[in-house]
């Protein structure tokens, strides 16, 4: 089975977890990097007008990915992200909508300040249904 660990990480915590998982699973690893990196000010969830607050509130926001990967050769894709506002950052939607994930095993994982995955798998499932998985 060919496995890919694809992750988004704004401050490095999810990246460490992704690297550990990729090592254990003998998987390829890919960073879902935003075209415009998130600054410290962007990540301020206490500011109602910060980039992340505005993106999280806007269901239609799809931050651009700097460079994408072709997932067609993989059987399973583990997708890692930090929990933002109790769900996955919208760049994960950008990734899920970027290509065909049909027939692939998708395994989400996350890091957070304390919240669990809560709405993220359900939201991703809706997205995957849209992607034909
Ligand atoms: C914009 C923003 C929103 C966040 N929302 C939550 C949240 O709802 N629940 C939570 O437990 N942690 C929340 N966090 C904390 C991150 O999930 C946590 O620090 C994560 O491990 C960061 O991963 P990273 O270093 O890979 O970006 C939030 C962080 C940011 C920047």
């Amino acid at each position: 089975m060919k496995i890919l660990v694809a992750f988004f990480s704004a401050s490095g915590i999810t990246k460490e977890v992704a690297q550990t998982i990729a090592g254990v699973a003998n998987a390829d690893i890919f960073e879902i990097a935003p075209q415009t990196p998130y600054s410290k000010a962007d990540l301020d969830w206490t500011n109602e007008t910060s980039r992340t607050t505005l993106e999280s509130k806007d269901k239609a926001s799809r931050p651009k990915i700097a460079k994408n990967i072709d997932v067609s050769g993989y059987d399973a894709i583990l997708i890692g992200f930090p929990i933002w506002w109790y769900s996955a950052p919208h760049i994960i939607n950008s990734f899920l909508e970027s290509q065909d994930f049909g027939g692939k095993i998708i395994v989400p994982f996350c890091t957070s300040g304390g919240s669990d995955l809560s709405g993220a798998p359900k939201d991703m499932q809706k997205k995957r249904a849209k992607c034909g998985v």
Side-chain angles (χ1 to χ4, degrees):
M1 183 179 271
K2 207 159 174 236
I3 306 172
L4 175 70
V5 175
F7 70 94
F8 164 66
S9 178
S11 55
I13 295 169
T14 313
K15 183 176 189 165
E16 272 185 41
V17 175
Q19 285 169 335
T20 303
I21 293 173
V24 172
N26 197 21
D28 291 347
I29 190 160
F30 171 70
E31 180 162 6
I32 303 166
Q35 198 171 75
T36 309
Y38 289 90
S39 67
K40 206 172 166 204
D42 289 341
L43 296 172
D44 184 359
W45 67 85
T46 64
N47 177 348
E48 288 198 355
T49 57
S50 74
R51 177 178 166 200
T52 48
T53 305
L54 295 178
E55 280 180 7
S56 298
K57 278 186 185 161
D58 177 7
K59 284 192 173 153
S61 78
R62 294 293 181 270
K64 285 210 165 62
I65 297 169
K67 188 184 75 149
N68 217 336
I69 186 172
D70 177 5
V71 298
S72 60
Y74 293 96
D75 305 298
I77 301 155
L78 283 64
I79 304 180
F81 48 85
I83 291 290
W84 281 3
W85 296 103
Y86 307 102
S87 196
H90 289 183
I91 195 166
I92 296 300
N93 290 339
S94 308
F95 182 63
L96 288 170
E97 290 170 5
S98 69
Q99 52 202 301
D100 186 9
F101 285 82
K104 299 186 189 305
I105 298 165
I106 306 288
V107 182
F109 65 94
C110 75
T111 68
S112 80
S115 306
D116 59 22
L117 276 163
S118 63
K122 215 171 79 196
D123 291 347
M124 288 175 73
Q125 217 155 20
K126 280 187 226 148
K127 202 53 60 196
R128 284 170 56 204
K130 210 172 154 188
C131 294
V133 176

